[in-house]
Structure formats: C-alpha cells, structure tokens
Amino acid sequence: MTDAVENAGGVQPATGAARGVTSVSDEVVEKIAGAAARSVPGVADLGGDVARFFNSLLDKVGLDEAGDARRGVSADVKGGSAVINVVLVIDSGHVVADVTEAVRAAVIEAVEKYGLTVTQVNVTVDDIELNQPAAGVGA
C-alpha cells in the first residue's frame, strides 16, 4: 500500500534538464585554454603578430593586463563540446611537435576539468622567440 500511496499523483523531483540549461561562453573556455597553453615549457607567448603588437601598445599606456587572458585563443562552444584554436610563439631551441602536442594535451585536460568535451585543439605556431636562451643550451 505504501507504493500505491507514494506513486498516486506524486510529483517526481525535477531533473537538472527540466530546471534549466547551463551554458559556458566561448570567452570562459578561451581564458582556461590560454592559461593552460601559457603553462607549457617552450611557449614564449600567445597570439599572432597583430595581437602581440596591440598588446604591446596597451602595455605602454598602462593597461598591462588588458586582453592578455584570451589573446591567441579562440573557442567555439556548442552544447557541451568545444573546438579550440591556439596561436603561439615558441621559444627557440624547442621541438615544435613536442611543444604543440604538450599545448594540446594541457588545453584538453584543463578545459575538460570543467565538464566540457574538447573535440579539437588546433595549434598554429606563428613566430619563434630568438631572444630567450634555449632550454638545455650551454650557459
């Protein structure tokens, strides 16, 4: 009888989908991916020539942090999946394939910790930083 009473006209608790939708903006994913990419050894900077030029201008007028978090990264988030593009500058003396694979792995791990699925991470090496001493090269 208990089952009959509980099931007769009882209201089932709403699931998460019935209560609303959660979405994550492209900007949030770009910030997460940018931080992950910057943490990889061999990455000197993020962004193409134009983005780095405008960032240097912002630095000169005292807006050091403006645009840094997302620069060099674009994301397209649809539902729970993301496609991420990263443009970077590599330190001289580092193997491009090693750095780009490490960036790809770091970005995927960081973004997927937030519950999204990363379907692609496309990495473009836009420049090489020659002013930095290469890792492992004699001092």
Side-chain angles (χ1 to χ4, degrees):
M1 179 162 152
T2 307
D3 274 345
V5 171
E6 288 177 3
N7 292 330
V11 177
Q12 296 294 321
T15 62
R19 293 183 184 201
V21 176
T22 300
S23 61
V24 178
S25 74
D26 295 351
E27 181 179 350
V28 169
V29 173
E30 291 164 359
K31 287 180 179 181
I32 295 165
R38 280 184 183 81
S39 73
V40 173
V43 173
D45 203 357
L46 294 182
D49 294 334
V50 174
R52 291 193 322 273
F53 171 75
F54 282 113
N55 194 68
S56 70
L57 291 177
L58 291 171
D59 289 349
K60 289 177 184 173
V61 296
L63 299 172
D64 298 354
E65 301 295 319
D68 283 350
R70 297 177 25 206
R71 185 186 51 190
V73 182
S74 64
D76 184 19
V77 181
K78 289 191 171 68
S81 298
V83 174
I84 302 166
N85 299 300
V86 180
V87 178
L88 58 87
V89 178
I90 194 170
D91 284 326
S92 65
H94 289 269
V95 178
V96 171
D98 293 346
V99 174
T100 57
E101 270 309 306
V103 166
R104 190 171 285 109
V107 167
I108 290 169
E109 181 181 353
V111 172
E112 288 190 346
K113 282 183 181 177
Y114 286 85
L116 296 171
T117 300
V118 177
T119 57
Q120 285 184 21
V121 176
N122 304 305
V123 180
T124 301
V125 178
D126 182 71
D127 204 352
I128 185 167
E129 178 64 54
L130 296 175
N131 297 334
Q132 299 285 332
V137 176

